[in-house]
Amino acid sequence: MVKLAATVGMGNNLSSVSAPLLPSPLGFNPIRRCFCVVKSSLLIPARIQGRLFTPKVRASSATVVETKPDPVIDETKLNIRKNILACPICYEPVIWNGDHVLSLESVAQCTLQCHSCKKSYYGKDSHLDLTVTGGGKVYGESMPASTELFRFPLVSFLYERGWRQSFSIWGGFPGLEKEFELAKNYLKPVLGGNIIDASCGSGLFSRIFAKSGLFSLVFALDFSESMLQQCYDFIKQEDNFPQENLILVRADISRLPFASGSIDAVHAGAALHCWPSPSAAVAEISRVLKPGGMFVATTYILDGPFSYIPLRRPVRQTVAQISGSHVFLSEKELEDLCTSCGLVNFTWTRNRAFVMIAAMKPVQ
């Protein structure tokens, strides 16, 4: 059947992890009544709005016709996928041996090799391992506590079974559906493109992005093997899941295995505060984003009554050094972080401690 298709122009941590425990209770107010939204100037410059938002409609026929996949479209998709993944050492493209189309089901049989440094990377049962030390058998590095915590299988098991839901009580997170709607609003300029769900955890948002049909390809990325396995198990329990639209990748947020300027959007749900070096991570995100690409993230801010705690900043630095987890004290800090890493048009949405931020890679 030929279908009418309207397409919109497209616009984790030295280790990638999920979110840590949130701070002590901040009081509860109904979510729907306490949201405030602050936006900067339009996220997309006027000169490119028409190009990004002009719908293109392909003609349709009411007649039922048996059709075969368009070989030009298939080849285009294949080339796009080949040009996205890169070596995390030298950022040169990688080539893979295995199924001609890289997808969730084909990664286990894949071997990827950098054509420059000749480093090889291998697919596991559930994911591609594209960390710098991936495939190593002897050498290992100690990671911050906030990273190692989420590599425990028990934590991965509990993450969607009460852990993540508790953020609504303690931190003002509005819940999965509301967070997705907020993120989708910020991601409108790049709908139809590809997206990285950074520090995806057990894949809460990765699966939603894949099932929504809003993106052509979703990379669920985390440093925790057990989180990626949990995400894979959840996918296997679902009927008719679009597995061809999702790839699970183990990688460092500070050393992303993607070519520069190859990604339309990066989402990081309740993860920014977990990254041992947020500046290194956001700089990497800025590198892989296309011009006009969007970065959307959620975290929490300790202000309000916490502003009166003496020696807040020295205590925060000590906590960061010990645990690898960061505490943000204002929206201005987050804006400065994005700006210093080359992103523009910073904007945010706030509910108690919860904050969602968005910023754009400048259009050249």
Side-chain angles (χ1 to χ4, degrees):
M1 173 77 69
V2 178
K3 298 181 179 179
L4 182 66
T7 59
V8 179
M10 294 188 300
N12 206 354
N13 83 14
L14 293 172
S15 312
S16 175
V17 295
S18 309
L21 286 171
L22 287 171
S24 58
L26 302 175
F28 178 81
N29 291 314
I31 291 172
R32 294 182 180 273
R33 299 183 61 182
C34 57
F35 264 99
C36 63
V37 179
V38 177
K39 294 188 177 182
S40 64
S41 57
L42 290 176
L43 288 174
I44 303 303
R47 65 178 181 274
I48 65 166
Q49 284 184 15
R51 176 165 60 89
L52 291 177
F53 292 99
T54 302
K56 301 177 182 179
V57 180
R58 184 178 299 165
S60 172
S61 171
T63 306
V64 176
V65 181
E66 292 294 330
T67 62
K68 295 181 179 180
D70 188 335
V72 176
I73 295 177
D74 290 346
E75 185 65 26
T76 299
K77 289 181 178 179
L78 181 58
N79 289 334
I80 290 174
R81 294 189 180 208
K82 283 184 176 180
N83 293 329
I84 292 176
L85 291 176
C87 173
I89 297 174
C90 60
Y91 296 137
E92 292 296 324
V94 293
I95 56 176
W96 68 81
N97 300 314
D99 197 311
H100 68 286
V101 176
L102 191 60
S103 64
L104 183 69
E105 284 301 303
S106 67
V107 296
Q109 292 78 38
C110 281
T111 300
L112 301 105
Q113 186 178 60
C114 174
H115 80 278
S116 177
C117 69
K118 306 305 179 184
K119 171 72 183 287
S120 293
Y121 303 92
Y122 303 95
K124 308 293 183 179
D125 291 339
S126 59
H127 62 274
L128 287 170
D129 192 337
L130 291 175
T131 56
V132 170
T133 56
K137 297 180 179 179
V138 179
Y139 178 75
E141 293 179 336
S142 59
M143 297 296 176
S146 61
T147 299
E148 293 299 329
L149 175 66
F150 293 97
R151 299 180 72 184
F152 287 106
L154 178 60
V155 175
S156 301
F157 177 82
L158 293 175
Y159 191 70
E160 286 190 40
R161 297 173 173 88
W163 186 306
R164 184 58 162 78
Q165 290 81 349
S166 70
F167 296 2
S168 297
I169 300 172
W170 307 116
F173 278 63
L176 191 62
E177 292 184 4
K178 181 64 176 178
E179 287 177 54
F180 173 67
E181 289 301 318
L182 288 170
K184 185 170 67 174
N185 184 57
Y186 285 130
L187 293 168
K188 280 182 181 178
V190 292
L191 294 182
N194 55 52
I195 186 170
I196 296 173
D197 186 24
S199 295
C200 67
S202 55
L204 270 169
F205 286 98
S206 304
R207 304 196 307 272
I208 291 177
F209 286 139
K211 291 186 292 186
S212 71
L214 297 174
F215 296 93
S216 59
L217 183 60
V218 179
F219 292 98
L221 183 146
D222 207 285
F223 188 78
S224 168
E225 306 93 324
S226 62
M227 282 292 190
L228 293 170
Q229 182 62 53
Q230 184 66 76
C231 179
Y232 184 81
D233 292 343
F234 280 135
I235 291 170
K236 286 306 189 179
Q237 295 170 14
E238 294 195 38
D239 295 328
N240 302 316
F241 187 92
Q243 298 186 16
E244 69 281 0
N245 292 335
L246 180 65
I247 299 172
L248 295 142
V249 179
R250 181 174 183 247
D252 253 340
I253 193 65
S254 62
R255 202 75 186 173
L256 291 174
F258 300 96
S260 298
S262 63
I263 300 298
D264 294 289
V266 176
H267 170 266
L272 187 58
H273 46 269
C274 298
W275 299 339
S277 176
S279 60
V282 178
E284 267 294 88
I285 289 169
S286 181
R287 178 186 68 80
V288 303
L289 282 176
K290 297 177 181 178
M294 296 299 302
F295 171 50
V296 176
T298 58
T299 185
Y300 61 91
I301 295 174
L302 290 188
D303 54 7
F306 293 96
S307 301
Y308 300 100
I309 296 177
L311 303 176
R312 265 197 323 162
R313 293 182 182 276
V315 169
R316 176 179 66 167
Q317 293 174 355
T318 302
V319 170
Q321 291 173 355
I322 295 174
S323 68
S325 184
H326 290 259
V327 176
F328 298 102
L329 304 179
S330 69
E331 295 90 350
K332 189 63 180 176
E333 282 189 344
L334 293 166
E335 181 177 8
D336 196 42
L337 170 63
C338 291
T339 301
S340 65
C341 294
L343 301 177
V344 299
N345 291 350
F346 179 87
T347 184
W348 52 269
T349 300
R350 182 78 186 271
N351 178 48
R352 297 193 291 145
F354 165 85
V355 64
M356 177 177 285
I357 64 170
M360 186 185 75
K361 180 74 171 287
V363 177
Q364 298 173 346

